[in-house]
Amino acid sequence: MKAKESTGAETLLRLLSSMGVDRIFASPGSEWAPIWECLANPDLKDKPAYLSSRHEEIAVGMASGYAKATGRLPAVMVHTTVGSLHASMAMRYGSTY
């Protein structure tokens, strides 16, 4: 019996769903084309909703507010290097409000 082959993006979305993640907050990046293709695939079931923001700090703030308001686990996708730095600033200073 041959196992169904999955892309890395499909595997990531299934893993997030299995962890109870139903929302992905993101500052869109061109490196995520495979994720977007999977999110647009109507055959892939139980995938998280994707919410786009204009900046990494906003994405982290939205995810933090969602987690506090619902008690559910969100995911955040940010750009490497500078995006990670911006996201970490939101985590550091967002916790003081």
Side-chain angles (χ1 to χ4, degrees):
M1 183 164 98
K2 185 177 178 182
K4 180 186 178 298
E5 294 182 20
S6 295
T7 66
E10 289 171 340
T11 302
L12 174 62
L13 292 176
R14 284 193 181 108
L15 177 63
L16 290 173
S17 290
S18 74
M19 296 172 63
V21 172
D22 61 356
R23 300 281 189 281
I24 297 172
F25 297 90
S27 174
S30 59
E31 64 270 24
W32 303 328
I35 295 286
W36 290 335
E37 289 171 7
C38 285
L39 289 168
N41 181 352
D43 296 329
L44 186 63
K45 305 296 181 210
D46 299 325
K47 56 191 170 199
Y50 178 87
L51 292 98
S52 183
S53 67
R54 299 193 72 143
H55 198 275
E56 293 87 356
E57 289 183 45
I58 296 170
V60 170
M62 289 168 52
S64 176
Y66 177 78
K68 291 174 185 176
T70 66
R72 299 184 59 84
L73 178 66
V76 178
M77 291 176 32
V78 297
H79 297 279
T80 58
T81 60
V82 174
S84 300
L85 293 172
H86 284 292
S88 65
M89 294 303 291
M91 289 187 291
R92 166 65 177 101
Y93 292 107
S95 65
T96 61
Y97 297 123

